[in-house]
Amino acid sequence: MPRITEGDQNLSLERAHWQDASPANETLQRDTALYYHQVLSTPCLDQIVRAEGPYIFTASERKLLDFHGNSVHQLGFGHPSVVRAIEAQMRALPYCTRRYTNDAAVELAEILVSSAPGALRNNARVLLTPSGSAAVGIAIKVARACTGRYKTVAFHDAFHGATLDAASLSGQDLFHRGMGPMMPGVMHASPPSHPDCPSCAHSMCNDACAEPIEALLRKHDVAAVIAEPIRATTVRAAPRSYWSRVRSACEATGTMLIFDEIPTGLGRSGMLWATEHTGVTPDLMVIGKGLGGGIFPQAAVIGRQELNDSGPTPVRELALGHYTHEKSPVGSAAAIATLRTVLDERLAQRAHELGCAWRETYEAEFNSMGCVRAVRQIGLMLAVELKDPEHADRVMYEGLRNGLSFKVGGGKTLVLFPPLNIEQHLLDDATRIVIDAIAATA
Ligand SMILES: Cc1ncc(COP(=O)(O)O)c(C=O)c1O
């Protein structure tokens, strides 16, 4: 039985069938022998030999539309503008030693500050990090230092990264197993628009569903509430009235609101930032994944300008972003090219239009299948929730056999994240693969 967790696991019966039917090639065998095994990845399924645009090509000669892509592929793989920018930057300045800055890092910060959502626009400061987890860690440290408190509130089913601090925020056991004490002071609340929501039992979340957060903030001195503005893994969103109440509770208690935009940013949700759907501005936001154009690991923290100088311990007195690759010129060049492409090609708008058309075309057909529990769509975050987790696992492998890779989130939700520049006919082909796979494996 697949466990309900962040992504599909590699321990299922279907995986065993796949492995029996497709013996590992030599590279896969060496990988399995050399890398630590991980329930969300290793032993791997196959070897990728090439990735281009929306496709991955495997050693077993499969050509797959990649609608998983670890959410780094807003532009698909190997986008020419990003490749050109990286190549040019590697020749001009491959690395930036501490004590110095560089043009690319400064230009990236300017673009991030000028395109930040809500009240952060033109009123923010930035720190770059080599991973999303590191960005989450920094955001928590800023909130602790600037409030003089240490407690944090996250959601039960949350995932914010794999480092010990970020994993502590996760509400999933898998990331705590065998770890001993996690970061102190983390408390979990029921997420909105979730079957476990005590207020609305998933009928339709409303502002009252923010009560668990309000209660925690009343009882404890909390440094920060951290949340995804849209839960990417299951494509669930709360209404604006919910966020407005959370924001008010934060303001009333001097708690910071941190939005984790790592999988949802850069146009994926139909807006440049998923934060824009919430109607509120967080104190800090973290971005990553596709920021490096699906090529370079690049993430960032964007936060209120005045945190630099205010609070019990202002940021300027700390060394929060002391990473070896602190202001990577190559990562910055990749991020500038990515952001420019998303903005110039109006990919957020495209995601909105393609996503809405997808829902209009296919929602009824999915809903007519007795095994489908719900269809959700926000921009090009597309989700088909099934009733049975084992069925979802079968659909995933049937999809892989027929040329489509996607994630199974929360145990039973088929999550389709196409590149935002996907051609319409490929989105239709992929959806047909999903519909046929659901029917074939029911
Ligand atoms: C919501 C969210 N936050 C944080 C992270 C961590 O990012 P990274 O893997 O770059 O450390 C992830 C990664 O999947 C994520 O989905």
Side-chain angles (χ1 to χ4, degrees):
M1 173 82 167
R3 282 169 52 87
I4 311 301
T5 179
E6 190 57 23
D8 35 274
Q9 301 203 5
N10 55 5
L11 305 169
S12 71
L13 201 60
E14 289 303 312
R15 174 59 81 88
H17 290 158
W18 179 283
Q19 275 160 340
D20 290 345
S22 14
N25 76 357
E26 198 222 333
T27 301
L28 197 50
Q29 285 175 20
R30 280 159 52 214
D31 180 279
T32 303
L34 289 163
Y35 279 91
Y36 279 117
H37 292 192
Q38 306 275 302
V39 292
L40 292 171
S41 67
T42 310
C44 297
L45 196 66
D46 203 338
Q47 174 195 354
I48 294 183
V49 290
R50 197 155 72 82
E52 193 182 331
Y55 292 110
I56 49 176
F57 300 83
T58 71
S60 57
E61 300 191 345
R62 282 181 206 277
K63 176 183 177 185
L64 296 133
L65 279 169
D66 190 358
F67 282 18
H68 182 308
N70 290 14
S71 311
V72 305
H73 59 321
Q74 281 91 338
L75 303 185
F77 296 114
H79 192 284
S81 307
V82 182
V83 171
R84 268 196 307 275
I86 288 178
E87 281 174 352
Q89 187 61 56
M90 284 194 305
R91 276 188 215 100
L93 177 71
Y95 182 74
C96 182
T97 304
R98 208 177 311 282
R99 271 193 220 120
Y100 299 93
T101 188
N102 61 88
D103 269 337
V106 174
E107 190 179 339
L108 173 58
E110 280 168 353
I111 299 176
L112 290 175
V113 168
S114 63
S115 65
L120 287 176
R121 183 157 304 168
N122 295 321
N123 186 27
R125 283 184 185 259
V126 174
L127 280 170
L128 302 182
T129 64
S131 73
S133 308
V136 167
I138 285 185
I140 294 293
K141 288 195 280 185
V142 171
R144 283 179 167 212
C146 295
T147 60
R149 306 169 178 180
Y150 71 95
K151 292 182 183 173
T152 43
V153 172
F155 288 129
H156 280 308
D157 69 347
F159 177 73
H160 293 291
T163 52
L164 196 62
D165 48 1
S168 303
L169 300 166
S170 176
Q172 302 176 34
D173 291 350
L174 179 62
F175 300 101
H176 299 174
R177 193 183 297 162
M179 288 299 105
M182 305 298 285
M183 181 169 73
V186 180
M187 296 175 288
H188 289 101
S190 296
S193 302
H194 188 272
D196 297 341
C197 178
S199 300
C200 71
H202 190 44
S203 56
M204 175 46 94
C205 256
N206 52 57
D207 59 328
C209 303
E211 274 166 19
I213 303 253
E214 288 172 333
L216 283 171
L217 299 195
R218 266 196 311 273
K219 271 193 222 140
H220 300 266
D221 287 333
V222 176
V225 172
I226 181 166
E228 286 178 86
I230 296 171
R231 179 75 176 108
T233 297
T234 46
V235 189
R236 288 184 193 280
R240 283 176 166 228
S241 56
Y242 172 89
W243 289 117
S244 152
R245 216 156 137 176
V246 171
R247 178 76 258 189
S248 302
C250 286
E251 267 157 32
T253 55
T255 306
M256 291 207 188
L257 180 62
I258 302 173
F259 273 161
D260 178 345
E261 281 261 10
I262 286 168
T264 54
L266 297 157
R268 167 65 61 198
S269 71
M271 306 279 240
L272 183 61
W273 308 113
T275 295
E276 294 167 89
H277 292 266
T278 65
V280 304
T281 305
D283 299 281
L284 295 143
M285 64 186 260
V286 286
I287 61 174
K289 289 209 183 262
L291 186 61
I295 301 180
F296 202 87
Q298 187 61 64
V301 184
I302 305 166
R304 273 171 31 218
Q305 149 87 25
E306 64 273 21
L307 300 178
N308 196 54
D309 305 297
S310 65
T313 320
V315 173
R316 67 177 151 71
E317 292 179 14
L318 305 163
L320 302 174
H322 192 76
Y323 285 97
T324 302
H325 290 266
E326 186 181 326
K327 285 186 182 157
S328 166
V330 179
S332 299
I336 294 165
T338 303
L339 275 153
R340 287 227 174 99
T341 306
V342 170
L343 293 170
D344 293 352
E345 297 183 9
R346 304 184 72 238
L347 290 182
Q349 179 66 20
R350 191 165 192 280
H352 171 69
E353 286 163 10
L354 274 186
C356 291
W358 177 89
R359 199 213 287 235
E360 271 170 37
T361 311
Y362 295 109
E363 186 171 25
E365 190 170 354
F366 278 118
N367 281 334
S368 72
M369 306 175 100
C371 52
V372 170
R373 188 172 186 277
V375 177
R376 294 186 287 275
Q377 169 269 326
I378 304 168
L380 276 176
M381 308 166 79
L382 315 174
V384 181
E385 183 178 339
L386 302 188
K387 293 180 178 160
D388 172 16
E390 288 182 8
H391 186 192
D393 208 41
R394 290 197 296 279
V395 176
M396 186 188 100
Y397 285 93
E398 185 67 7
L400 291 173
R401 274 189 282 274
N402 291 301
L404 178 67
S405 174
F406 57 86
K407 179 169 168 172
V408 177
K412 56 184 166 63
T413 302
L414 316 177
V415 184
L416 310 177
F417 275 28
L420 308 188
N421 51 11
I422 189 83
E423 290 173 53
Q424 171 79 62
H425 70 99
L426 294 179
L427 183 55
D428 290 329
D429 291 350
T431 309
R432 194 47 59 197
I433 293 176
V434 177
I435 291 171
D436 292 347
I438 294 174
T441 55

